[in-house]
Amino acid sequence: MKNIVNKTFELFSELEHCNNDQQKWKIEEMDGIMREMSEDELNSVLSARMLNKICQMIEEKKMSMENAILLLKCIGYCTMLKRIRVYCFNDSLVNKRFKTLIVDEYKKKEKKNEKLLVDFCECYISLSIYFPSGLLSVCVPCLQKVAFQKEENEEAQNEVEMALMALSNVKNSEVKKELSLNEITDIIEYHQEHHNLTHLAYQSAWQFLIFRFNMERSLEEVIVNELHFVREAARELEELRECVDWKRREKKKGEKEMKEVLIIGRWLDVIVHFFLSCQLWNEEFFGLIGGIESAFQKAKGEHRGICKECISSFTNIERNRAVTIEDLLKGRAVDAVVKEFQTQTLNNEMTYECLTFLMRVLRRLKEEKDEMGEEKINTIKKKLFEKMEEEGHEDIAISFYEILHFFKRRYDNGLSLDISDYFVNVRENG
């Protein structure tokens, strides 16, 4: 069987020699192959040369605009699902051409093709990294209009999913409140009542909203207490992880299962961003932490990438001062990390993630002693000590002491070299 990367290059090179229907079949075949690729494989396929070639084929009339849109949407969908940034798009001829196409179609006074404008916007937004504010003012309302379709047939759901995925790719760019926030909250609220979106579409809607958080602090109350992000994210994680047969070898999983694993990864990104921005406390927090821990346990031994992201998520959640050490205990984050620590070895990224989390939790106890009171601190420290003692944490931490310098150099991060930071000392009373 041919290497899938070489097969993709071969199919692409054949496109300019095919008629319209043959091109469509080959593009659909490329789409199926790209969906099976790893992130590294897909990165190796995408290049400015490929994107420029697409533009050249359009200009030389060797590829119809319809087929070019189909191919670019396939590429955009796969890269967004796998969380790949297409840096080569910024300087490509396709970038420049589609900017012009969007503006020209939007400015038409008569015979404006709304469907074509949506296609142009989806191609551009799904692949781009930098978004001129003028184009966002056209593309965001256009895509939100598609996303608010209420039909539930498969074709409509696919259109909604693609529109919301494209919107989710708009991260730290400024999007004016009047262009985005009311509409996206309406889409989320409608789904919560009618369940009309796919898992990926719903996650994408939340991603677009959460990435507006830093620029629009008034969203906090809406996100936390009205739309119940924490509860919804926990429920979605549960549904997704239960759909996957984690015990099967990854290579043998079907497309649907692998898609749901990738959506879990996208949720973890959004959850981290939420906790790094949110200042409110909500009693649902430890439930979401527990949801991440359950995803970690399901993926353990089967999908190391998701496991590492879960541990990293705990560390980022701890950075939020609205989250207490007790929340992390109730959510079983500490249990998961301490147990995982047992299985790690030198030169392992998971070791670094575990050490970082434990160091931050134990340092936080020191910092909050006066604020929480000695009695409460001692109670929490005792719980931590018991968990760590059960797993032989002290012996394990000591065994890693000699390599702390190694981890500090390798990851260029503030790991403590004071071994006492990784121990819990319970003051004996009486």
Side-chain angles (χ1 to χ4, degrees), residues 404-416:
L404 287 177
H405 282 282
F406 166 80
F407 281 110
K408 190 176 179 69
R409 287 197 308 273
R410 175 165 183 175
Y411 297 104
D412 191 26
N413 200 284
L415 277 180
S416 173

Side-chain angles (χ1 to χ4, degrees), residues 9 42-52 86 88-89 92:
F9 283 132
L42 190 53
N43 262 324
S44 70
V45 167
L46 301 177
S47 65
R49 183 179 178 183
M50 172 183 275
L51 295 172
N52 290 339
V86 189
C88 59
F89 179 77
S92 70

Side-chain angles (χ1 to χ4, degrees), residues 140-332:
V140 169
C142 180
L143 296 176
Q144 286 185 331
K145 185 177 179 180
V146 175
F148 213 1
Q149 287 188 70
K150 296 178 181 178
E151 294 181 45
E152 295 186 21
N153 60 69
E154 185 176 353
E155 182 180 354
Q157 280 199 329
N158 289 337
E159 290 175 357
V160 169
E161 185 176 86
M162 187 63 193
L164 285 170
M165 278 190 79
L167 285 170
S168 77
N169 201 41
V170 181
K171 292 187 167 60
N172 295 321
S173 303
E174 290 190 16
V175 179
K176 293 181 181 179
K177 184 176 181 179
E178 60 268 23
L179 287 178
S180 61
L181 302 180
N182 292 336
E183 286 77 4
I184 206 71
T185 53
D186 286 345
I187 289 169
I188 290 170
E189 284 179 332
Y190 188 84
H191 171 76
Q192 289 177 350
E193 184 176 352
H194 300 280
H195 306 289
N196 62 308
L197 300 176
T198 65
H199 283 296
L200 181 54
Y202 190 45
Q203 183 279 330
S204 297
W206 271 113
Q207 184 164 314
F208 178 73
L209 182 60
I210 295 295
F211 276 89
R212 311 279 76 74
F213 205 165
N214 287 341
M215 293 168 282
E216 189 56 57
R217 295 303 309 174
S218 63
L219 274 175
E220 188 164 40
E221 178 68 29
V222 174
I223 289 171
V224 177
N225 294 327
E226 294 181 28
L227 297 178
H228 299 281
F229 169 76
V230 176
R231 180 192 68 197
E232 290 293 294
R235 182 184 53 75
E236 286 290 304
L237 279 181
E238 180 180 5
E239 290 184 11
L240 287 163
R241 67 177 180 260
E242 292 304 320
C243 289
V244 179
D245 184 357
W246 296 92
K247 297 302 179 185
R248 289 165 59 191
R249 288 181 62 83
E250 189 174 335
K251 290 182 180 178
K252 295 183 180 179
K253 293 182 187 297
E255 180 184 327
K256 185 173 185 295
E257 284 192 58
M258 289 311 301
K259 180 178 178 179
E260 284 158 343
V261 171
L262 293 169
I263 300 171
I264 289 173
R266 284 170 60 94
W267 266 115
L268 291 173
D269 277 349
V270 175
I271 290 166
V272 164
H273 196 85
F274 167 79
F275 275 107
L276 290 177
S277 305
C278 181
Q279 296 172 6
L280 289 177
W281 183 87
N282 186 289
E283 62 183 7
E284 296 170 338
F285 279 5
F286 67 82
L288 178 53
I289 296 168
I292 298 172
E293 188 272 342
S294 294
F296 171 80
Q297 296 299 343
K298 288 280 188 180
K300 198 170 180 180
E302 304 300 323
H303 199 294
R304 300 301 293 170
I306 291 293
C307 289
K308 178 178 173 292
E309 286 192 72
C310 288
I311 301 295
S312 179
S313 298
F314 293 147
T315 300
N316 284 302
I317 289 170
E318 182 279 330
R319 296 175 191 273
N320 185 331
R321 292 293 166 157
V323 178
T324 67
I325 301 301
E326 286 183 295
D327 291 330
L328 294 169
L329 283 165
K330 287 180 182 177
R332 305 183 303 279

